[in-house]
Amino acid sequence: MRPTTGTEYTANPPRAELRDADGVLTLFLHGHWTVYTIETAKKSLQQLRAQRTASRFARIDLAGVSRMDTSGALLINSICSATAKYATPELQNSNPDFAAILELSQK
C-alpha cells in the first residue's frame, strides 16, 4: 500500500456556497473536508458569515463533498450547532460513509 500524503487530500479544496434551492436557503459544501484542508474550509465559511443571511440556512447539501474525516465532520457539526438558534439545518445528500462519521462526531 502506497503511503498517503497531504497533497493528495488538498487536490480538491473545500468550498462553501449559499444559494436558494427550491425556495430553501441551502449551504452547499464541495471538495475535501479533512484535517489537511480544515483551515481552507474555515476561511470559506468565514467569507459566508459576512452575508446577512449566512446563519439562516435550512439545509446543508453534502453531495459535492468528495472526502471527509473527523476534522471535517466536527466542523460541519459545529456549523449545525452555530445555526441551531434559528433552526437545526437538515443534512442531505451525504455519502453513507460520511453520515457515519458525522453521527459519531456529534457525541
Side-chain angles (χ1 to χ4, degrees), residues 13-40:
R15 290 181 296 115
E17 63 178 315
L18 270 178
R19 65 177 194 254
D20 186 280
D22 302 322
V24 178
L25 188 59
T26 303
L27 178 64
F28 289 87
L29 302 182
H30 308 275
H32 296 173
W33 288 69
T34 68
V35 68
Y36 299 108
T37 62
I38 204 72
E39 291 306 315
T40 303

Side-chain angles (χ1 to χ4, degrees), residues 26-27 29 57-62 76 79-80 89-92:
T26 303
L27 178 64
L29 302 182
F57 52 88
R59 284 189 261 184
I60 300 177
D61 190 298
L62 302 170
I76 292 167
I79 296 167
C80 292
E90 170 193 352
L91 296 175
Q92 65 180 28

Side-chain angles (χ1 to χ4, degrees), residues 66-81:
S66 48
R67 286 187 194 240
M68 182 189 302
D69 65 10
T70 307
S71 295
L74 287 168
L75 182 57
I76 292 167
N77 282 327
S78 74
I79 296 167
C80 292
S81 295

Side-chain angles (χ1 to χ4, degrees), residues 6 9-10 17 44 48 57-58 71 82 85 93 107:
Y9 289 100
T10 59
E17 63 178 315
S44 181
L48 289 178
F57 52 88
S71 295
K85 65 181 175 181
N93 298 323
K107 299 178 181 193

